[in-house]
Amino acid sequence: MTPLPTNATALFQSMLRIRKCEEELAKCHQRGLIHGACHTYVGQEAIAVGVCSRLRKDDVVFSTHRGHGHALAKGVSTFELIAELFGRETGCSRGRGGSMHLFAPETGMMGTSGIVGPCILQAAGAGYSFHILKSDRVAVAFFGDGAVNNGAFHEGLNLASIWKLPVLFVCENNQFATEVPFAYAAGNPEVATRGTAYGIPGVLVDGNDVLAVQEAAGKAVERARAGNGPTLLECRTYRTRAHAEGMGDFGYRTREEVDEWKKLCPIERLRSRMVTSGLSVSDIEKAIETEVADATQAAERATWPEPASAASFIYAEPRTPITAPSPGTREITFMAATLEALSDAMASDDTIFVLGEGIGKRGGNFKTTAGLYEKYGPQRLCDTPIAERGFVGLAGGAAMTGSRPVVDFMFADFVLDGLGEIINQIAKMQYMSSGRLKMPILLRGCIGVGHSAATHHSGNYYPLFAQVPGLRVVVPSNPYDAKGLLTHALRCHDPV
């Protein structure tokens, strides 16, 4: 047997913290202290701890609805987590998120999502940001086996592969997507083998062995940081509690199956090795139990958010009047006007980049980016595959991590393929993070019937978006307004 690593005690402590916190939260759910769902991470602790042990503080993590363990492993305190599930102002999302929406960008925890799949695209977006910012930071997406049958998985891994983005995709294969067995739902249930389809390494690891996870994650992070692209890591594991607290558990699996997996407990596995090696664990166990008990009591005493703050952080900036320059006498087209605005903005802000189909050397279907490729190169004028959900979700993750993406849809009809990412993620991100994350992203496309292109290329969908809190919707009526509004949009911190 190989000797224990020097950080074995820290790994054990971190896994035990997650386990004890989750067991306490399950009791708190029964007591009515948690207002909403509670998806515990019991049984999967080795994955979050093993992966995050290989990350720096400035590396970023995007997670799923079962994200308590990822938050704790990335540095969120026990108190901040419990207070968030209690809905208190001192919670990591300031009481706005609960169990499924955990934000702590200060520690690199960029958020968890109640929707399956967006974390994959957002992590790819963070990777793209790190390219633009010339940083060696790494992004991680944690997701369950159910997400690998989702379009976001295909689009996200493909985009990360073609651009060699510094991303680690971690599939926590716990055998069930809610209550549907993965063996039933997947034509290819070997997740790691899917990496080959995207031209990236796919690695299968025992997700209940924290040392094996740490080793595999270390290699993947090193590969990403060196500029060699993403890795898909499949961690085989099992959640030993119900999908969510309060749900029935044995209509789709047996008690005997659960009991067999409990024997493979990742914490007990490491504990046994530590004791055999002569390391003491009792003091650690007592300290963690005290920490969790104290955090729970403090969270119960913590204050509720002020009701008056319920509508805060929907937008980053107040709506202020703009003093427009004189229109002058020059006459140019819409496209020429917006091209001037975009070119000027890109010259003064190195974080702006453009995504879209044919917007690179070709200059866009309507010459919306003509000449910019020669000035700014392929990273800032980035041609995409036909994958609107993918590159919209990627742009959202990029905006969260320091860059300013512009998404060129060509025709506005194509916006609809990215609808979930725009409405459920981009529009809500500032609100859910209590204003700590900004969303400086511009999404644009041509509307109207002037192209004789029939119904799939002539739609006007702006009334749909005008109803969505968090979005700013602009429909200029002339080139002068188009240039000014585009210029202003590329300076503000809200999605437009």
Side-chain angles (χ1 to χ4, degrees), residues 10-154:
L11 296 174
F12 177 76
Q13 183 181 48
S14 188
M15 285 198 295
L16 190 63
R17 175 177 291 110
I18 295 170
R19 175 67 61 87
K20 294 299 183 183
C21 188
E22 295 291 57
E23 290 174 344
E24 178 64 25
L25 286 169
K27 296 174 185 176
C28 291
H29 185 271
Q30 293 172 355
R31 292 171 58 199
L33 290 170
I34 296 173
H35 309 278
C38 179
H39 300 82
T40 66
Y41 197 66
V42 173
Q44 301 180 204
E45 297 88 352
I47 304 171
V49 171
V51 172
C52 289
S53 71
R54 294 301 195 188
L55 301 179
R56 302 191 314 225
K57 185 176 180 179
D58 65 343
D59 293 328
V60 293
V61 164
F62 299 81
S63 178
T64 179
H65 58 277
R66 197 177 307 282
H68 305 168
H70 310 135
L72 291 170
K74 193 62 176 74
V76 174
S77 72
T78 310
F79 167 71
E80 287 178 303
L81 176 68
I82 296 174
E84 184 56 42
L85 268 76
F86 288 3
R88 306 307 168 98
E89 189 174 28
T90 44
C92 61
S93 300
R94 310 301 186 249
R96 294 175 185 270
S99 177
M100 292 189 286
H101 309 102
L102 306 172
F103 289 84
E106 303 84 3
T107 69
M109 185 68 195
M110 305 304 288
T112 65
S113 175
I115 308 296
V116 171
C119 60
I120 297 171
L121 305 176
Q122 290 162 1
Y128 205 93
S129 257
F130 301 154
H131 271 344
I132 292 291
L133 301 172
K134 297 178 173 54
S135 166
D136 71 343
R137 296 163 68 191
V138 171
V140 177
F142 288 103
F143 49 92
D145 49 276
V148 307
N149 295 327
N150 188 286
F153 176 83
H154 165 74

Side-chain angles (χ1 to χ4, degrees), residues 228-456:
N228 295 321
T231 301
L232 171 62
L233 191 64
E234 178 190 0
C235 300
R236 294 272 178 90
T237 185
Y238 198 86
R239 54 171 171 80
T240 53
R241 295 188 71 87
H243 169 68
E245 294 305 303
M247 291 181 67
D249 204 28
F250 298 110
Y252 61 96
R253 60 182 183 174
T254 65
R255 293 181 187 275
E256 291 75 19
E257 180 183 337
V258 175
D259 289 341
E260 283 301 308
W261 274 95
K262 284 181 178 179
K263 295 176 184 177
L264 303 175
C265 172
I267 298 173
E268 286 305 312
R269 184 182 296 191
L270 182 58
R271 185 185 190 279
S272 176
R273 287 199 59 186
M274 291 174 66
V275 171
T276 300
S277 300
L279 296 174
S280 174
V281 297
S282 58
D283 288 346
I284 297 173
E285 292 170 336
K286 290 176 184 176
I288 293 295
E289 288 179 1
T290 299
E291 175 187 322
V292 171
D294 289 349
T296 303
Q297 292 175 13
E300 284 193 67
R301 295 192 300 266
T303 57
W304 298 95
E306 287 291 331
S309 70
S312 299
F313 307 118
I314 294 174
Y315 295 97
E317 301 171 348
R319 299 188 180 196
T320 53
I322 302 169
T323 302
S326 170
T329 59
R330 192 165 58 115
E331 292 188 7
I332 57 176
T333 65
F334 265 95
M335 291 310 158
T338 55
L339 179 58
E340 286 183 3
L342 179 59
S343 182
D344 290 347
M346 293 185 75
S348 61
D349 186 346
D350 292 339
T351 69
I352 296 175
F353 69 97
V354 187
L355 289 165
E357 295 149 3
I359 54 87
K361 288 183 178 179
R362 183 164 167 257
N365 202 50
F366 301 112
K367 303 305 177 187
T368 50
T369 55
L372 298 184
Y373 183 90
E374 289 74 20
K375 287 184 180 180
Y376 302 113
Q379 276 197 351
R380 296 185 67 194
L381 272 297
C382 184
D383 278 326
T384 66
I386 300 174
E388 274 76 9
R389 182 186 178 187
F391 61 73
V392 170
L394 181 149
M400 294 165 68
T401 49
S403 59
R404 186 180 285 273
V406 176
V407 179
D408 192 318
F409 284 105
M410 194 184 302
F411 291 96
D413 305 74
F414 306 160
V415 173
L416 300 181
D417 280 0
L419 209 59
E421 301 306 319
I422 295 171
I423 294 176
N424 258 328
Q425 304 299 321
I426 289 170
K428 297 178 180 178
M429 200 60 66
Q430 295 186 132
Y431 183 81
M432 291 193 296
S433 68
S434 295
R436 289 173 292 164
L437 291 175
K438 304 302 181 188
M439 190 51 69
I441 177 172
L442 172 64
L443 307 111
R444 64 170 180 164
C446 293
I447 63 173
V449 297
H451 314 292
S452 301
T455 61
H456 286 167

